[in-house]
Amino acid sequence: MLPIFVVNNHGQFNHLIHRKLRDMEIEVKMVPNTTPPSEVADGCRGIILGGGPSLERAGNCAEYLDLGLPVLGICLGLHIIATARGGAVGPGSHGGYGGVCVRIAQESEILAGYPEQIRVWASHADEVKAVPAGFSVYAVSEICPVEAMGRPEERLYGVQWHPEVSHTENGDLVFRNFERICGL
């Protein structure tokens, strides 16, 4: 079975994403964000766009969205999806990492199995300010109107928070749901 690629966008938690999937016995491989799209298309069954410092350092990530593979964006990965599909990202009113209570606003494949509210660990230095056309908002919080969004027709999903850290309630579930989506 082909692995899920974790795309390294120079963020401090990308190695934790890789380790989390490995510990969950999900076949995984980390690749740099400069990997040619053709190699990504032929080498994996799904893509996780990890976090990082800025959209300017996102390499080829926007091109990976057009490969027809499932994509899960985490933090900066969410911002890459939003901007590449015509949305907007801007500074959040609450920067830095911390705990946030997120409310599930709409049922979705990526958040299946979560209760109505979950406690997550997130950075809101930047956040989605305008959702791209055709995308739905799946989760919100008091400090951020787009904590999660997706477009199942393209199998593109993103979360503002970090499911790979222990501070996030049941973060494994996002990865299990994504693994299932990658098998469809």
Side-chain angles (χ1 to χ4, degrees), residues 23-46:
D23 289 351
M24 294 173 65
E25 299 183 356
I26 296 172
E27 190 72 31
V28 62
K29 179 180 178 183
M30 182 158 325
V31 298
N33 65 11
T34 54
T35 305
S38 60
E39 287 181 30
V40 173
D42 294 337
C44 69
R45 60 189 169 109

Side-chain angles (χ1 to χ4, degrees), residues 62-76:
E63 295 176 61
Y64 304 156
L65 304 180
D66 298 322
L67 299 177
L69 292 166
V71 177
L72 170 61
I74 297 174
C75 199
L76 178 71

Side-chain angles (χ1 to χ4, degrees), residues 49-51 73-80 97 123 126 159-162:
L49 301 177
I74 297 174
C75 199
L76 178 71
L78 166 68
H79 306 158
I80 292 166
Y97 287 97
S123 168
D126 293 305
V159 295
Q160 181 71 36
W161 67 85
H162 288 271

Side-chain angles (χ1 to χ4, degrees), residues 95-178:
Y97 287 97
V100 179
C101 186
V102 167
R103 183 177 60 81
I104 307 302
Q106 180 178 327
E107 288 186 17
S108 64
E109 292 176 303
I110 199 66
L111 300 180
Y114 277 107
E116 187 177 309
Q117 289 194 10
I118 55 172
R119 188 103 179 126
V120 302
W121 189 258
S123 168
H124 290 89
D126 293 305
E127 58 190 34
V128 175
K129 297 294 187 180
V131 176
F135 280 75
S136 297
V137 174
Y138 296 148
V140 300
S141 71
E142 289 186 7
I143 64 169
C144 180
V146 186
E147 291 284 358
M149 69 175 201
R151 182 175 168 88
E153 301 83 5
E154 290 188 86
R155 298 186 297 172
L156 299 178
Y157 306 91
V159 295
Q160 181 71 36
W161 67 85
H162 288 271
E164 71 277 12
V165 300
S166 61
H167 302 325
T168 292
E169 182 181 318
N170 199 8
D172 291 10
L173 189 53
V174 169
F175 295 123
R176 285 285 177 223
N177 288 338
F178 186 65

